[in-house]
Amino acid sequence: MNNTLYLMQNVPQSNQLNPAIQPECKVFLGFPGLSSIYVNYANNGFTYSDIIKDGTGLQKDSLVVDINSFHDALQSTNTIVNQLDYTFFSLGIRAKKMFFTLDVSSKIDNRLGFDKGLVSFLKNGNAGYMGRTANLGAIGLDGTAYNEVALGVSKQVTEKLTVGVKAKMLFGVANMHMDQSNLSVYTSESGDLVQLRSKQLMKVSMPLDVTQDADGYIDDVDVLDDDFDGTFFSGTNNKGFAFDLGATYQFNDRTTFYASILDIGGIKWNDTYELSQDATFDWQGGDWSQSGNSNDPNYREIEDVMEDLTDSIADAFRFKDKAGSYSRALPTKIYLGGSYKLNERVNVGAVSRTEIFNGKVRPSLSLSANTRVIRNFSASLSYSMVNNSYNNVGVGIAAKLGPFQIYAVSDNILAMNPNTAKTANLRFGMNMMFGCRKKTKKKDVCKIQEDLILEYMQKETKKEIEE
């Protein structure tokens, strides 16, 4: 989410969330290899404690899987997200009212989605669907890895308004996403026929070795480990472009408003595979009649029966591939925020973050209090509502010793106890910062003279009135 970091403007990485935010120091340099490391996990449905429970009775000393609790905790559509953002180089330079930044990062974004109907069917079986079809919904799969070089500039347009823009060159490393997906199961009224139906379309861009049979079906798919070399990770064959926009507006001495839109753009993926499937399989069970007596000359091992059964399913659900290129947009994030200064050391704020991806909108809202105990140490405390979760307490700290700044930020420190957490993230890193001293305002000699003259005239006027 990064909501807590958004208002920690003494940390230069807040500029990655709003390109209009100008760091305090004239120059900052992300410590090479440790500028910023961000990891994130989130899901909008279940928690660990919804799945794993303490056993009772004979299982009181064990942990057990509670399928009923897991099922009840699910949303109609469930999404699990894992992300890694590694910035290994950052640079920022101030030039009068302008500020220039350069960031070089590697990013991974993996998402898995599924409908509650799938778990309901696995839990309850097909007894309630005799003579009709059970729609199990879609399987959502999206994984992207890419490198990014971002060049940004911000300018103070007026005393109150600052605007910023950041251009990003994207170099795709790997992508996999489900373009279409539908699963269903038909059960006859008598129950003697169970028909599985699957229609899938998956697009993949990564080094694969695909073996096909004479009919064009895929027999085997292997990942070519040898191709994961420097050229592959630079993503030179999969290029893209994106940009960020941002603005800050100081309404008065105490109130400031913020707005930014990130990752408007995407990547064109080449050397790809398009794996499609449209198949129906009649499930009639396995023949176990020859597996009961090992002395029977026609005896068959249960493992052999299962292997025949799984082979027949695999034959019906093979994939076909079609090579081609495709484009994928990045998840777009919209931030809106504001802060109010209570005094010189404390301000409070609110940040709304909305992510738009694959036609789905995921909102979040954070409230925070930020303090500057001393100039070189700051801290933030936040509360967030996200992923149908309302128990997210975040903390951020930043400490500076000489030119070195160390910072760590999390939107939910309660995730240290994973039993009830739906969101867990952490960002930390180190910067070197230069030219951070506040400018001492030069005394305006003319203004001092004017004040002295005015004071003298007031005294003389008062003296004449008294006389």
Side-chain angles (χ1 to χ4, degrees):
M1 296 196 322
N2 290 299
N3 290 14
T4 306
L5 176 64
Y6 197 87
L7 295 180
M8 293 182 65
Q9 296 178 16
N10 61 313
V11 178
Q13 279 67 27
S14 61
N15 174 270
Q16 295 180 4
L17 307 179
N18 186 339
I21 293 176
Q22 296 188 344
E24 297 177 347
C25 302
K26 292 182 179 179
V27 177
F28 79 84
L29 175 66
F31 196 83
L34 196 59
S35 175
S36 174
I37 300 175
Y38 173 70
V39 292
N40 178 60
Y41 164 82
N43 82 68
N44 67 332
F46 59 91
T47 65
Y48 176 84
S49 61
D50 291 324
I51 305 175
I52 306 300
K53 304 280 188 180
D54 292 326
T56 58
L58 297 177
Q59 296 179 314
K60 65 179 180 180
D61 295 330
S62 305
L63 296 175
V64 298
V65 176
D66 191 333
I67 187 64
N68 293 318
S69 175
F70 170 60
H71 175 267
D72 294 342
L74 294 176
Q75 304 294 314
S76 58
T77 300
N78 302 273
T79 304
I80 303 172
V81 179
N82 292 283
Q83 295 168 322
L84 171 64
D85 186 341
Y86 174 46
T87 303
F88 48 87
F89 180 80
S90 288
L91 175 66
I93 300 175
R94 181 183 297 278
K96 296 183 179 180
K97 294 185 177 182
M98 302 180 71
F99 203 97
F100 298 90
T101 60
L102 173 65
D103 297 294
V104 182
S105 309
S106 289
K107 300 184 178 184
I108 298 175
D109 189 331
N110 297 319
R111 300 161 189 255
L112 172 65
F114 61 93
D115 289 352
K116 185 175 182 178
L118 175 61
V119 180
S120 299
F121 185 85
L122 296 174
K123 169 180 173 286
N124 300 321
N126 62 339
Y129 296 94
M130 308 301 285
R132 58 194 184 97
T133 298
N135 185 9
L136 308 185
I139 300 295
L141 178 63
D142 198 290
T144 302
Y146 64 97
N147 298 322
E148 176 185 286
V149 178
L151 179 62
V153 59
S154 63
K155 181 179 181 180
Q156 185 178 351
V157 180
T158 68
E159 290 296 323
K160 294 186 174 183
L161 177 64
T162 302
V163 297
V165 62
K166 188 169 292 188
K168 301 179 176 181
M169 287 299 300
L170 310 177
F171 304 91
V173 175
N175 176 262
M176 175 186 296
H177 75 277
M178 195 72 76
D179 203 52
Q180 298 177 18
S181 177
N182 185 266
L183 292 169
S184 64
V185 178
Y186 169 77
T187 305
S188 64
E189 291 186 5
S190 60
D192 60 346
L193 172 64
V194 178
Q195 191 174 71
L196 310 181
R197 297 172 181 170
S198 174
K199 187 174 183 179
Q200 314 292 334
L201 176 59
M202 179 186 295
K203 295 183 178 180
V204 180
S205 177
M206 64 174 59
L208 299 176
D209 181 20
V210 180
T211 304
Q212 297 176 301
D213 62 16
D215 297 325
Y217 287 94
I218 293 177
D219 277 337
D220 192 23
V221 177
D222 293 320
V223 178
L224 300 177
D225 297 337
D226 294 339
D227 285 356
F228 282 83
D229 54 18
T231 303
F232 172 76
F233 282 106
S234 67
T236 53
N237 201 34
N238 306 304
K239 295 183 176 63
F241 178 79
F243 62 95
D244 303 341
L245 299 174
T248 69
Y249 183 78
Q250 187 171 344
F251 182 73
N252 54 39
D253 291 341
R254 292 181 178 269
T255 306
T256 306
F257 297 109
Y258 307 89
S260 58
I261 305 177
L262 310 183
D263 292 331
I264 306 171
I267 300 172
K268 182 179 180 181
W269 299 92
N270 300 294
D271 298 333
T272 67
Y273 294 92
E274 186 177 279
L275 309 176
S276 61
Q277 175 194 72
D278 191 351
T280 301
F281 174 73
D282 293 338
W283 174 278
Q284 295 175 328
D287 184 1
W288 315 100
S289 61
Q290 296 175 326
S291 303
N293 183 4
S294 60
N295 297 321
D296 188 332
N298 297 318
Y299 174 77
R300 297 194 66 201
E301 293 282 352
I302 293 179
E303 291 80 0
D304 294 335
V305 177
M306 287 297 298
E307 184 177 350
D308 290 345
L309 189 61
T310 54
D311 285 346
S312 64
I313 295 175
D315 288 341
F317 285 90
R318 291 195 215 178
F319 288 94
K320 290 184 178 180
D321 79 306
K322 298 176 183 178
S325 62
Y326 61 88
S327 297
R328 292 288 289 168
L330 298 181
T332 300
K333 302 95 178 172
I334 301 174
Y335 285 92
L336 297 173
S339 65
Y340 181 80
K341 184 187 294 186
L342 297 178
N343 53 51
E344 289 301 319
R345 298 187 182 276
V346 180
N347 71 75
V348 294
V351 175
S352 166
R353 178 185 186 273
T354 302
E355 182 186 83
I356 304 173
F357 184 58
N358 281 346
K360 297 184 181 298
V361 177
R362 298 181 176 89
S364 65
L365 177 65
S366 297
L367 307 176
S368 66
N370 311 282
T371 181
R372 197 77 169 264
V373 181
I374 57 176
R375 176 165 176 77
N376 291 334
F377 180 83
S378 63
S380 293
L381 180 66
S382 68
Y383 167 75
S384 299
M385 295 170 281
V386 61
N387 292 324
N388 299 305
S389 176
Y390 305 94
N391 60 340
N392 306 289
V393 178
V395 169
I397 56 172
K400 184 173 177 291
L401 180 62
F404 294 98
Q405 181 194 60
I406 300 175
Y407 68 93
V409 189
S410 173
D411 289 304
N412 187 20
I413 59 171
L414 301 182
M416 289 187 292
N417 176 12
N419 288 338
T420 59
K422 293 183 180 179
T423 298
N425 61 35
L426 175 66
R427 181 191 285 264
F428 63 94
M430 179 183 296
N431 297 304
M432 292 183 289
M433 306 168 69
F434 308 96
C436 303
R437 292 184 179 181
K438 287 184 177 180
K439 293 181 178 180
T440 56
K441 294 183 178 179
K442 296 181 179 180
K443 293 184 178 180
D444 190 333
V445 178
C446 294
K447 182 68 167 59
I448 294 175
Q449 291 177 343
E450 291 177 358
D451 292 341
L452 290 175
I453 293 173
L454 179 61
E455 182 180 357
Y456 174 77
M457 293 179 63
Q458 289 175 341
K459 288 182 178 179
E460 289 297 316
T461 302
K462 182 177 179 182
K463 183 177 179 181
E464 291 179 358
I465 293 175
E466 289 178 350
E467 292 177 352

